[in-house]
Amino acid sequence: MDMLKVSGLLHVLVALLILQLCSHKDPSCSAATTTFLNNKTYVNYIKTSCNVTTYPKLCYRSLSDFANEIKTSPKVLAHTALNVSLAATRKTSKVLNRLSKTQGLNLTELAALHDCIELIYDSSYELRRCMIEIHRLRSENFAFGISNILTWASAALTNSVTCMDGFGGNYGKVDQNGDDQVKNTVLRHEEKVCRLTSNSLALVNSYASSQG
Ligand SMILES: *[C@@H]1O[C@H](CO)[C@@H](O)[C@H](O)[C@H]1NC(C)=O
Ligand SMILES: *[C@@H]1O[C@H](CO)[C@@H](O)[C@H](O)[C@H]1NC(C)=O
Ligand SMILES: *[C@@H]1O[C@H](CO)[C@@H](O)[C@H](O)[C@H]1NC(C)=O
Ligand SMILES: *[C@@H]1O[C@H](CO)[C@@H](O)[C@H](O)[C@H]1NC(C)=O
């Protein structure tokens, strides 16, 4: 049986279990039912919203843990996506810093690595600004704030692409079987950052149009 069937079956079982328990009109149990239903609504909201992104599976996977905070708010969804992107950027920064200290790198690799480290540092800054800005959005400054966020998130995305270009990585095409360790490590991490940032942009954009 494949995973989809197993998890589908599990959902039915959980639903049946709750229905059965709740026929007793136990108040704590109906609270549990509400949580379950809300959670399902929230998770579906994320799934539907992620459909506008270029990498919907990654979008859903990276955000569904925050379903209970996001609820059905496009603003919190966009904010959380930016934060997830920032966290991945910071992690990549650490990995690349460590990588740059390994022995035996040649000058070409070192130069590309240092360029990436600088680009990623800038990206973290841009994404942090995005998060502050989305927090500050009010109806009076909405259009201006959104355009700032889109500008800064686009800059972060461009940095990711530029970093990958430095390693000859075609955007979206990591060479999984290549034997170049440095290149593979950079591309693997940076591609994820790139995709998360692209998704954040799409979610900010759809948040903006939901208010328009
Ligand atoms: C909500 O649902 C998700 C996915 O089905 C699950 O991982 C998570 O633990 C649930 N959270 C709560 C609070 O029930
Ligand atoms: C996502 O979009 C596709 C095609 O536009 C559609 O078939 C699918 O039902 C959508 N999924 C969700 C969860 O909205
Ligand atoms: C962003 O994510 C980090 C974990 O990566 C978390 O500690 C922090 O509270 C989050 N910030 C916001 C504003 O959601
Ligand atoms: C540096 O190392 C990489 C990976 O091993 C290799 O592809 C590249 O040709 C090297 N460049 C120089 C100038 O040695």
Side-chain angles (χ1 to χ4, degrees):
M1 217 190 292
D2 60 42
M3 280 312 291
L4 214 63
K5 281 183 189 151
V6 173
S7 93
L9 190 61
L10 201 62
H11 277 121
V12 173
L13 285 176
V14 171
L16 282 177
L17 190 66
I18 284 174
L19 283 178
Q20 236 173 0
L21 280 172
C22 291
S23 62
H24 293 109
K25 303 267 181 232
D26 172 352
S28 70
C29 181
S30 70
T33 314
T34 309
T35 304
F36 177 75
L37 291 178
N38 280 347
N39 193 11
K40 194 144 193 265
T41 306
Y42 300 160
V43 164
N44 280 336
Y45 172 71
I46 294 175
K47 208 173 263 174
T48 308
S49 306
C50 281
N51 224 4
V52 306
T53 67
T54 311
Y55 308 101
K57 277 184 191 151
L58 175 66
C59 174
Y60 176 70
R61 239 189 303 125
S62 64
L63 294 169
S64 59
D65 279 354
F66 306 101
N68 288 318
E69 286 124 71
I70 293 167
K71 299 189 166 52
T72 57
S73 160
K75 182 177 180 173
V76 183
L77 181 68
H79 188 267
T80 309
L82 287 165
N83 200 19
V84 167
S85 187
L86 176 61
T89 304
R90 284 188 170 138
K91 186 179 167 200
T92 300
S93 177
K94 275 195 194 129
V95 170
L96 266 54
N97 264 308
R98 217 181 301 133
L99 199 59
S100 73
K101 296 189 179 95
T102 52
Q103 302 291 311
L105 299 179
N106 67 34
L107 286 178
T108 317
E109 287 174 315
L110 261 180
L113 208 45
H114 280 286
D115 284 347
C116 273
I117 289 170
E118 240 172 76
L119 289 162
I120 291 166
Y121 182 84
D122 288 348
S123 289
S124 307
Y125 174 70
E126 308 284 7
L127 290 169
R128 252 195 334 265
R129 285 172 93 190
C130 287
M131 289 183 55
I132 294 168
E133 193 76 357
I134 201 168
H135 191 67
R136 281 205 298 232
L137 282 176
R138 299 289 178 270
S139 51
E140 313 83 82
N141 63 10
F142 192 80
F144 178 68
I146 288 288
S147 93
N148 282 339
I149 296 165
L150 292 174
T151 304
W152 298 331
S154 301
L157 182 60
T158 307
N159 285 350
S160 288
V161 175
T162 308
C163 162
M164 291 195 291
D165 283 348
F167 281 91
N170 297 326
Y171 176 55
K173 271 193 200 154
V174 174
D175 177 12
Q176 299 287 359
N177 302 315
D179 54 5
D180 185 342
Q181 282 298 316
V182 176
K183 174 177 167 174
N184 286 344
T185 306
V186 172
L187 291 183
R188 187 157 36 84
H189 282 86
E190 201 49 35
E191 186 178 78
K192 187 170 179 203
V193 166
C194 196
R195 291 180 171 192
L196 287 170
T197 309
S198 155
N199 284 350
S200 301
L201 256 175
L203 294 174
V204 169
N205 210 26
S206 74
Y207 165 50
S209 31
S210 77
Q211 305 296 298

